[in-house]
DNA sequence: GGGCGTTGCGTTTTT
DNA sequence: CGCAACGCCC
């Protein structure tokens, strides 16, 4: 039960502590420790009973550096959150004395949520230091900005802004950005920052490759320019804090003292800068607990160093290692497959995962003819699982590269299987959202040049390069923000009358909005800004397919703003948080890359595209050494361990690479799977036509399929009748192809049962021939044929396609858009 | 400033 | 092959 005294104290403390410095702080802590200890003694540690021995030791081991090697599905987050709860509960530290860092906002949110469940909401409110590396970085940096040459109101540049800035620099330096693309420079700078290198520290050879040795010089110029703009990029959020700590030991000490416990999630993903950052802070207490899994390190290419985790014992004196090897996620066949595969890696700390969930189904391996058959097979399996009663939410297709998604999307759309692409273009990365945000940022802060420049001519208002250049040059010469420069210039004849009037009007609008900041609610003001600026109108006029969804996104943005108290709160969130989840009630299959699947789990997982050159990717193979290949293998390991019950791996014999068909070989990873835990499945194609051609090969010999199959192909499939007819030829081709391969021997051959085709109720279509419709993927079109749920649509932007009616909206009726998406 | 043609490229992605 | 980014021309 919660003690009223404790929660009262907790509610009061944070503010006090944030205001007072060390002496007061220490006194407070000492006082608190006693009282908290007393309370703790009376509190139950019931939550410990839910843990296994290893987890428990990871939670209770509070007095030395600790590395928790947490295999996939072993309860990593549980350990992390319970440990925090335990620290609080035992009175070891108060919530604001715990630093807990994650990589993604999602992970941070999840942790908060779970801690709250353990110790109650009120305890979490006072956890200001639970967040991503970057959000913690901003927090620290804002407090001490002046010490690293910034004002605490600094703005955070996203990669778009960064690129625009670099392009400007290249122009100033008169470097041909064709030959030396800004992208490449950005990449170099990012990697230097990942490694914690300020311009002075960059090994001189490294900059030589760019623009005749100007690489480092440009890096320096870029940093200087950002200081002028009072801006930082993402890398700086770590690097500048590092600089701050190194140059101001007193401040470092303050934080070392403050953070009595440090916890790090996904330690295998830390880069050098993050590592140095942590090590500096951990020198205070030595009470650092890192949780991670070297076998799941898949971000080496963006600076993550597996070595950090491999070196842990050497880095932190007296460190202990706890291995979590009890897996609570997958069945035995799946786990054995993952384990044998990953055992082919040399550089690893080594773990042996075990499960007591049971054997379960074997991993299914299937060879298909091409990507279309692959998608068809997976889609058929998905429908089968659905009939077995598994929710679409519990199914996922995990691909190596995003181009693989297309054939799956096509297939899902024609079959009417609802799906979601996870990790696609993110909400805040869409142009319309960035534009809107730029308006808001420029309104709130007139010296935010980056944002102002973004929208000065969006929508087009006749302020071209020439005009912008005049303002720009003047602003730089006078060292004043663009908007101020513009304000002064409109009083002169520097700019031709027409654009001059336009700028004056624009500046006037901005001032008007700024003036309303007090009186109006922020969402209301946001709407006004988007309207008056002509931004909304710009998209309303736009005839392109995406225009409507862009407008919807803007609406959603404004709605979402309402969840924040004020404009600034919202903006701070926006600059750091790059995800906004679109909620849907409808179950959907998840489609995503292997990378974005890390941390997730599904009952049924499909891993298509296991071919050499695609997975492992050619780039990794070309590197020659094992480093790249081992990371690919870890990616495979991540993929396999996402599956709880059913796992299917597929490889195609032919794949289109850059438009050309190429025959491909099965991935070398396939031969690294344990034969005893894998079943080979024959193709779906028994070539016989009728329903048989799509017949489901059955999921191994456990016999459960027989019942399930009855009537399996009724419903929508027979309704439309023909969507599959086109595939006959190819189906039989693949059938014969597979005959010679691995595929023959085993059971689970396609049944010839035609399925009791239960009577299909042909629902009268709610669409009429000739009706105009809009489809999310294919755009506008006209109904050519309507049979039940299946429609044949003549699309304006592509050939006629068969689609399912639920993916289509009527164009003329405004009501129709309701709850479709 | 907008439209159109050419060119080059083509893993993985968070903050 | 498909697309995005750039440059050129009107």
């Amino acid at each position: 039960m919660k003690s009223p005294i404790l929660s009262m104290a907790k509610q009061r403390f944070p503010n006090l502590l944030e205001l007072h410095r060390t002496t007061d702080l220490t006194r407070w802590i000492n006082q608190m420790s006693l009282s908290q200890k007393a309370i703790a003694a009376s509190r139950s540690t019931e939550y410990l009973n839910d843990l296994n021995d290893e987890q428990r030791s990871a939670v209770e081991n509070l007095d030395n550096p600790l590395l928790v090697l947490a295999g996939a599905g072993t309860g990593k987050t549980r350990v992390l959150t319970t440990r925090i709860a335990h620290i609080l509960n035992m009175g070891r530290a108060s919530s604001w004395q715990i630093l807990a860092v994650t990589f993604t906002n999602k992970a941070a949110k999840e942790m908060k949520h779970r801690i709250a469940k353990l110790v109650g909401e009120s305890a979490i409110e006072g956890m200001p230091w639970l967040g991503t590396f970057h959000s913690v970085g901003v927090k620290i940096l804002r407090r001490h900005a002046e010490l690293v040459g910034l004002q605490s109101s600094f703005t955070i540049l996203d990669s778009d802004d960064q690129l625009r800035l670099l392009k400007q620099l290249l122009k100033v330096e008169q470097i041909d950005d064709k030959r030396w693309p800004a992208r490449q420079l950005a990449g170099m700078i990012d990697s230097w920052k990942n490694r914690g290198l300020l311009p002075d520290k960059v090994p001189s050879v490294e900059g030589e490759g760019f623009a005749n040795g100007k690489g480092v010089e440009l890096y320096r110029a870029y940093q200087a320019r950002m200081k002028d703009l009072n801006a930082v990029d993402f890398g700086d959020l770590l690097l500048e804090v590092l600089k701050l700590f190194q140059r101001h030991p007193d401040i470092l000490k303050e934080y070392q003292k403050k953070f009595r416990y440090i916890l790090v999630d996904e330690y295998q993903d830390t880069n050098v800068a993050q590592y140095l950052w942590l090590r500096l802070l951990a020198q205070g207490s030595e009470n650092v607990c890192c949780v991670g899994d070297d076998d799941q390190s898949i971000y080496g290419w963006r600076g993550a160093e597996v070595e950090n985790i491999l070196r842990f014992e050497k880095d932190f004196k007296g460190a202990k290692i706890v291995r979590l090897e009890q897996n609570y996620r997958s069945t035995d066949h799946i786990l054995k497959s993952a384990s044998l595969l990953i055992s082919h890696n040399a550089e690893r700390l080594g773990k042996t995962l075990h499960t007591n969930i049971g054997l379960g189904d074997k991993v299914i391996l299937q060879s298909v003819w091409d990507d279309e058959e692959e998608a068809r097979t997976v889609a058929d399996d998905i429908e089968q699982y659905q009939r077995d009663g598994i929710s679409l939410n519990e199914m996922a297709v995990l691909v190596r590269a995003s181009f693989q998604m297309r054939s799956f999307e096509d297939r899902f759309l024609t079959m009417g299987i609802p799906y979601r692409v996870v990790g696609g273009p993110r909400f805040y990365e869409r142009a319309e959202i960035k534009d809107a945000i730029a308006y808001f940022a420029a309104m709130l802060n007139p010296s935010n040049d980056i944002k102002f420049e973004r929208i000065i001519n969006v929508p087009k208002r006749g302020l071209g390069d020439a005009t912008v250049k005049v303002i720009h040059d003047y602003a730089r010469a006078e060292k004043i923000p663009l908007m101020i420069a513009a304000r002064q210039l409109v009083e002169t004849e520097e700019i031709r009358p027409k654009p001059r009037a336009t700028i004056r009007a624009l500046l006037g609008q901005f001032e008007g909005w700024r003036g309303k900041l007090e009186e109006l609610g922020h969402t209301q003001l946001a709407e006004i800004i988007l309207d008056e600026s002509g931004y909304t109108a710009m998209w309303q006029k736009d005839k392109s397919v995406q225009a409507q969804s862009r407008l919807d996104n803007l609406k959603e943005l404004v709605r979402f703003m309402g969840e924040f108290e004020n404009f600034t709160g919202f903006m701070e969130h926006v600059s750091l948080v790059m995800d906004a989840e679109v909620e849907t009630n409808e179950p959907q299959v998840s489609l995503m890359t292997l990378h974005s699947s890390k941390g997730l789990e599904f009952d049924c997982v499909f891993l298509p595209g296991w071919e050499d050159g695609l997975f492992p990717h050619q780039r990794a193979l070309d590197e020659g050494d094992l480093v790249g290949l081992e990371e690919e293998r870890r990616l495979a390991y991540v993929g396999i361990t996402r599956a709880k019950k059913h796992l299917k791996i597929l490889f195609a014999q032919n794949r289109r690479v850059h438009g050309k068909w190429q025959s491909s070989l099965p991935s070398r990873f396939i031969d690294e799977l344990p034969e005893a835990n894998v079943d080979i499945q024959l193709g779906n194609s028994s070539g016989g036509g009728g329903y048989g051609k799509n017949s489901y090969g059955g999921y191994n010999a456990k016999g459960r399929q027989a019942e399930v199959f009855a009537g399996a192909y009724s419903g929508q499939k027979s309704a439309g009748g023909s969507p599959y007819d086109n595939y006959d030829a190819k189906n039989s081709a693949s059938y014969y192809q597979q005959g010679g391969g691995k595929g023959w021997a085993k059971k689970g051959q396609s049944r010839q049962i035609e399925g009791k085709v239960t009577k299909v109720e042909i629902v009268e279509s709610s669409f009429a021939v000739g009706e105009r419709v809009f489809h999310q993927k294919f755009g506008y079109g006209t109904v050519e044929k309507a049979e039940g749920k299946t429609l044949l649509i003549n699309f304006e932007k592509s050939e006629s396609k068969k689609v399912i009616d639920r993916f289509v909206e009527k164009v003329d009726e405004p009501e129709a858009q309701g709850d479709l998406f």
Side-chain angles (χ1 to χ4, degrees):
Chain A
M1 289 300 101
K2 243 192 280 169
S3 144
I5 301 170
L6 185 62
S7 41
M8 245 174 65
K10 279 185 176 169
Q11 274 171 14
R12 291 187 179 191
F13 267 116
N15 298 334
L16 265 171
L17 275 164
E18 296 303 311
L19 291 174
H20 292 72
R21 291 283 152 112
T22 39
T23 24
D24 286 350
L25 190 122
T26 323
R27 200 179 311 135
W28 264 114
I29 289 166
N30 289 339
Q31 283 178 10
M32 261 324 276
S33 296
L34 254 186
S35 55
Q36 278 195 317
K37 273 175 190 163
I39 294 160
S42 69
R43 284 189 134 195
S44 98
T45 52
E46 230 172 75
Y47 50 85
L48 292 176
N49 299 336
D50 298 338
L51 305 175
N52 66 35
D53 290 350
E54 291 75 33
Q55 290 175 330
R56 191 166 170 152
S57 110
V59 166
E60 292 189 301
N61 213 317
L62 294 177
D63 298 306
N64 47 269
L66 180 71
L67 175 65
V68 181
L69 272 181
T74 56
K76 176 191 68 146
T77 312
R78 164 171 250 174
V79 163
L80 222 37
T81 50
T82 313
R83 186 180 163 96
I84 291 175
H86 192 56
I87 291 169
L88 293 172
N89 197 38
M90 298 301 285
R92 288 296 196 101
S94 301
S95 56
W96 57 89
Q97 297 168 321
I98 300 173
L99 172 68
V101 280
T102 63
F103 276 84
T104 63
N105 292 296
K106 200 176 151 202
K109 206 168 148 191
E110 166 78 7
M111 268 179 67
K112 275 190 186 159
H113 179 72
R114 288 175 63 170
I115 297 170
K117 250 166 79 184
L118 287 169
V119 296
E121 239 10 277
S122 60
I124 294 304
E125 282 164 27
M127 281 205 74
W129 301 103
L130 191 172
T132 63
F133 275 97
H134 296 265
S135 65
V136 171
V138 188
K139 201 166 229 164
I140 296 176
L141 211 51
R142 289 226 191 271
R143 293 186 172 191
H144 312 283
E146 70 289 353
L147 295 176
V148 289
L150 292 162
Q151 297 157 252
S152 85
S153 61
F154 62 80
T155 50
I156 302 163
L157 305 190
D158 60 31
S159 45
D160 256 24
D161 302 331
Q162 190 188 17
L163 220 53
R164 208 142 9 98
L165 207 59
L166 286 171
K167 274 184 186 160
Q168 284 175 15
L169 276 176
L170 289 175
K171 214 171 198 174
V172 171
E173 299 287 321
Q174 305 200 326
I175 292 164
D176 178 13
D177 68 346
K178 258 277 138 77
R179 206 159 152 216
W180 309 110
R183 283 210 157 280
Q184 193 189 335
L185 181 60
M188 290 170 65
I189 291 176
D190 277 348
S191 77
W192 286 326
K193 289 188 174 178
N194 283 338
R195 284 154 60 203
L197 299 172
L198 289 163
D200 299 332
K201 302 270 175 60
V202 176
S204 51
V205 279
E206 291 192 32
E208 280 169 14
F210 192 88
N212 307 317
K214 284 190 175 167
V216 178
E217 203 182 303
L218 286 162
Y219 178 20
R220 191 172 289 118
Y222 169 69
Q223 292 301 93
R225 184 84 186 98
M226 283 208 295
K227 285 281 150 69
D228 286 348
L229 291 163
N230 191 32
V232 295
D233 63 18
F234 283 120
D236 288 338
L237 294 179
L238 302 169
L239 197 56
E240 294 289 339
V241 173
L242 208 53
K243 193 161 99 186
L244 173 80
F245 285 164
Q246 281 161 348
R247 296 192 184 166
H248 301 276
D250 50 319
I251 289 174
L252 171 63
K253 213 163 246 160
E254 201 181 301
Y255 283 99
Q256 287 174 338
K257 222 170 200 168
K258 179 189 193 74
F259 298 135
R260 300 183 140 204
Y261 290 88
I262 299 175
L263 297 97
V264 188
D265 191 17
E266 305 277 19
Y267 189 59
Q268 78 283 351
D269 287 340
T270 47
N271 61 32
V272 174
Q274 285 156 336
Y275 163 75
L276 293 170
W277 194 95
L278 280 172
R279 223 182 50 176
L280 282 176
L281 283 172
Q283 277 164 8
S285 60
E286 290 296 323
N287 250 316
V288 58
C289 169
C290 296
V291 181
D293 181 0
D294 51 323
D295 291 334
Q296 292 186 70
S297 163
I298 54 174
Y299 287 110
W301 50 275
R302 66 174 199 215
E305 303 247 326
V306 213
E307 289 74 22
N308 289 346
I309 198 168
L310 301 176
R311 234 184 21 235
F312 188 85
E313 275 179 298
K314 285 179 200 140
D315 286 338
F316 297 95
K317 265 209 205 111
K320 288 195 179 154
I321 296 190
V322 172
R323 283 185 162 74
L324 304 183
E325 299 179 306
Q326 172 77 43
N327 175 292
Y328 295 100
R329 179 184 295 156
S330 310
T331 55
D332 201 51
H333 286 306
I334 292 170
L335 211 54
K336 287 258 166 49
S337 301
S339 296
L340 188 67
L341 178 111
I342 199 64
S343 73
H344 289 82
N345 270 6
E347 286 292 315
R348 57 191 291 256
L349 292 168
K351 292 183 286 332
T352 321
L353 294 189
H354 42 85
T355 180
N356 52 22
I357 290 180
L359 277 179
D361 287 358
K362 287 191 178 181
V363 174
I364 308 290
L365 180 62
Q366 182 170 349
S367 161
V368 290
W369 176 244
D370 61 5
D371 61 314
E372 272 182 33
E373 190 188 334
E374 189 175 55
R376 219 175 324 129
T377 304
V378 168
D380 288 350
D381 284 5
I382 285 170
E383 292 205 318
Q384 182 59 42
Y385 281 131
Q386 217 180 348
R387 283 186 288 263
D388 284 1
I390 302 176
S391 161
L392 290 175
N393 285 333
E394 280 301 324
M395 306 183 203
V397 181
L398 313 180
V399 297
R400 173 67 246 262
S402 41
F403 74 83
Q404 290 172 263
M405 290 184 189
R406 224 198 65 185
S407 38
F408 288 98
E409 288 195 55
D410 282 350
R411 193 64 192 159
F412 292 159
L413 282 167
T414 44
M415 287 179 71
I417 299 174
Y419 70 93
R420 85 187 115 212
V421 174
V422 179
R426 266 171 296 282
F427 189 66
Y428 289 110
E429 261 159 41
R430 295 163 199 221
E432 68 275 18
I433 300 300
K434 286 189 160 188
D435 289 339
I437 303 258
Y439 268 103
F440 304 154
M443 182 273 296
L444 289 167
N445 177 6
S447 47
N448 195 332
D449 286 359
I450 303 272
K451 302 298 180 196
F452 181 63
E453 222 181 313
R454 182 183 174 102
I455 47 82
I456 188 165
N457 201 28
V458 181
K460 304 268 189 276
R461 36 172 82 88
L463 302 175
D465 288 347
T467 317
V468 174
K469 190 172 184 304
V470 174
I471 304 173
H472 212 272
D473 288 349
Y474 179 65
R476 282 200 80 169
E478 298 287 313
K479 291 200 181 351
I480 52 173
L482 289 177
M483 277 210 240
I484 311 290
R487 166 80 24 239
Q488 294 177 16
L489 281 170
V490 290
E491 304 306 328
T492 71
E493 312 265 303
E494 294 290 335
I495 298 168
R496 286 163 188 280
K498 209 166 172 192
R500 198 195 309 155
T502 312
I503 297 169
R504 186 176 286 130
L506 182 65
L507 291 171
Q509 283 187 317
F510 268 103
E511 275 152 29
W513 299 328
R514 235 166 261 143
K516 288 181 187 146
L517 200 48
E518 301 287 309
E519 51 180 291
L520 294 180
H522 57 299
T523 50
Q524 204 183 346
L525 180 55
E527 276 173 358
I528 291 177
I529 293 175
L530 294 177
D531 270 356
E532 290 184 0
S533 63
Y535 193 74
T536 319
M538 175 180 102
W539 290 117
Q540 279 162 352
K541 270 182 243 151
D542 193 300
K543 295 262 175 350
S544 73
V545 174
Q546 305 98 337
Q548 185 52 50
S549 78
R550 290 185 194 272
L551 286 166
D552 291 344
N553 287 337
L554 289 172
K555 232 184 234 161
E556 168 64 15
L557 180 74
V558 175
R559 190 205 61 76
F560 184 57
M561 281 177 79
E563 291 180 17
F564 293 80
E565 218 161 281
N566 53 40
F567 236 122
T568 13
F570 170 73
M571 296 300 282
E572 183 78 345
H573 170 86
V574 162
S575 55
L576 284 172
V577 178
M578 281 308 184
D579 59 358
E581 271 166 51
V582 191
E583 282 155 48
T584 337
N585 308 320
E586 182 189 45
Q588 293 166 311
V589 180
S590 298
L591 181 56
M592 70 189 100
T593 63
L594 286 161
H595 280 93
S596 30
S597 77
K598 197 169 74 159
L600 306 176
E601 58 177 33
F602 303 89
D603 282 347
C604 315
V605 168
F606 297 90
L607 302 173
W610 280 44
E611 298 128 42
D612 256 31
L614 176 56
F615 190 38
H617 196 272
Q618 195 57 46
R619 291 267 172 103
L621 296 173
D622 290 343
E623 281 171 22
D625 55 5
L626 287 178
V627 180
L629 184 65
E630 293 210 344
E631 185 156 313
E632 294 283 303
R633 193 176 280 115
R634 291 193 291 266
L635 201 48
Y637 175 78
V638 166
I640 295 173
T641 52
R642 296 312 94 198
K644 286 152 93 173
K645 297 178 182 149
H646 309 287
L647 174 67
K648 185 175 211 173
I649 294 172
L650 303 102
F651 61 95
Q653 290 145 30
N654 300 284
R655 196 169 289 277
R656 217 180 339 214
V657 184
H658 305 325
K660 284 197 178 77
W661 282 100
Q662 285 187 349
S663 67
S664 45
L665 295 171
S667 167
R668 60 195 66 192
F669 295 154
I670 287 176
D671 293 323
E672 297 174 0
L673 298 171
E675 232 177 304
N677 305 293
V678 176
D679 254 355
I680 292 158
Q681 163 144 21
L682 262 180
N684 283 353
S685 31
S686 48
Y691 292 104
K693 73 174 182 293
N694 276 319
S695 68
Y696 187 75
Y699 259 90
N700 69 30
K702 294 225 160 54
R704 86 185 149 73
Q705 66 274 39
E707 307 85 64
V708 173
F709 283 140
Y713 282 90
S714 56
Q716 40 187 311
K717 281 199 169 180
S718 6
S722 52
Y724 309 94
D725 293 350
N726 332 349
Y727 295 110
D728 269 356
K730 275 200 181 162
N731 262 340
S732 26
S734 81
Y735 174 70
Y736 293 116
Q737 279 288 331
Q738 281 157 232
K742 268 183 169 175
W744 270 128
K746 302 220 177 165
K747 52 241 168 173
Q749 313 224 345
S750 351
R751 60 172 186 138
Q752 292 298 329
I753 315 160
E754 300 267 305
K756 283 184 235 155
V757 182
T758 47
K759 235 206 195 149
V760 183
E761 289 176 48
I762 304 255
V763 191
E764 208 179 308
S765 177
S766 50
F767 288 84
V769 172
E771 198 163 11
R772 196 170 146 75
V773 294
F774 175 75
H775 187 279
Q776 282 293 308
K777 193 178 163 78
F778 303 126
Y780 291 97
T782 323
V783 178
E784 276 185 352
K785 213 164 109 189
E787 274 176 10
K789 288 196 276 184
T790 315
L791 306 174
L792 183 67
I793 311 280
N794 181 12
F795 286 109
E796 288 166 12
K797 305 247 167 183
S798 65
E799 58 201 1
S800 296
K801 283 185 199 302
K802 278 179 181 135
V803 299
I804 301 291
D805 57 5
R806 57 199 307 287
F807 284 97
V808 152
E809 304 172 31
K810 301 187 185 202
V811 168
D812 297 328
E813 288 175 27
E815 304 300 317
Q817 60 194 125
D819 52 4
L820 270 174
F821 287 90

